[in-house]
Amino acid sequence: MPTPEKTSLRRIVAAGRDLLEAHGQQGLTMQNVAERVGVRAPSLYKHVGSRAALLAAVAEATIDDLIALLESTDGSLEGLARGYRRFAHAWPQGFRLMLSPDAPPEALARVAVPVLDASRRLVGERDALEAARLVTAWANGFIEMELIGAFRLGGDVDHAFEYGLAGIRRALATAP
C-alpha cells in the first residue's frame, strides 16, 4: 500500500504565497515552504521540481486570483485599474512577483485580456495593444511608487490616481 501524500501542490503554493507576502522573495525558500506545510524539503521536489518552479507556481496562482478580481469589475478601464490597484495593495509581493521574469508568460497573457478588451472598446482594434500598454505601464508605475512610499510631496494619492485615470481616458478617447 503506497504512503499517503502529506501535502499537496495547492497547500505548497498557498504556503509559498503566505511566505512571499511575509518575507519577500528571499523568504520564499524550499526549506521555509517545507516547514510551513509540515514536510522535509526534499519531499517538496515531488510536487515542485525547483525553487524556480515554486516561484512560477506562486506567480501563476497570484495571477489567477488577479484575473478573478478583474473579471468581477465592470470591465471598464477605470474599473480594471482600480481593481488592479486594490489587488496590489492586498498582495504587494505577489504583485511584484507577477511582474518579474519568474512569472509564466502565458499566465501574464491571460491577465492582459481584460485590459485589451477595455482598450479595444475605447480606441478600436488598431490601437488596442498600444492603449493597453499605456494603461498598464502607468498603473504599474503609479502603484509601485505608492507601495514603496515614493509619493512624499503631500496631497491625496487616491485623488492623484483618479486624476491619472481620467487623463488617460481623455487622451485615449481623443487620440487620432
Side-chain angles (χ1 to χ4, degrees):
M1 179 177 212
T3 307
E5 291 288 324
K6 292 183 180 180
T7 193
S8 66
L9 181 59
R10 195 180 96 232
R11 284 188 63 217
I12 291 166
V13 170
R17 288 184 76 187
D18 290 344
L19 287 164
L20 177 68
E21 290 305 322
H23 306 289
Q25 282 194 39
Q26 68 279 3
L28 181 52
T29 66
M30 298 296 271
Q31 182 63 44
N32 288 346
V33 171
E35 288 172 11
R36 179 70 61 104
V37 298
V39 299
R40 294 182 324 126
S43 298
L44 285 185
Y45 289 95
K46 295 176 190 172
H47 300 280
V48 183
S50 64
R51 182 170 185 271
L54 174 63
L55 285 168
V58 169
E60 186 154 10
T62 302
I63 290 167
D64 289 344
D65 284 353
L66 174 58
I67 290 168
L69 185 145
L70 294 178
E71 288 174 348
S72 75
T73 72
D74 64 6
S76 69
L77 220 46
E78 295 86 352
L80 293 168
R82 289 179 193 122
Y84 190 57
R85 184 176 179 222
R86 279 193 314 274
F87 184 85
H89 280 266
W91 298 94
Q93 295 298 328
F95 166 77
R96 289 181 179 113
L97 179 61
M98 286 185 336
L99 300 175
S100 77
D102 297 306
E106 63 280 357
L108 287 172
R110 289 194 333 265
V111 81
V113 170
V115 179
L116 279 166
D117 289 344
S119 296
R120 193 173 291 113
R121 287 191 301 274
L122 189 59
V123 302
E125 185 66 41
R126 188 188 80 205
D127 295 326
L129 180 59
E130 288 76 11
R133 285 179 173 157
L134 171 66
V135 171
T136 302
W138 173 80
N140 282 325
F142 189 102
I143 292 165
E144 183 60 26
M145 287 182 71
E146 185 178 22
L147 290 175
I148 65 171
F151 293 127
R152 298 182 184 134
L153 298 177
D156 184 336
V157 176
D158 292 331
H159 176 73
F161 188 82
E162 293 300 322
Y163 181 87
L165 275 177
I168 286 176
R169 174 176 268 286
R170 274 192 313 276
L172 292 175
T174 60

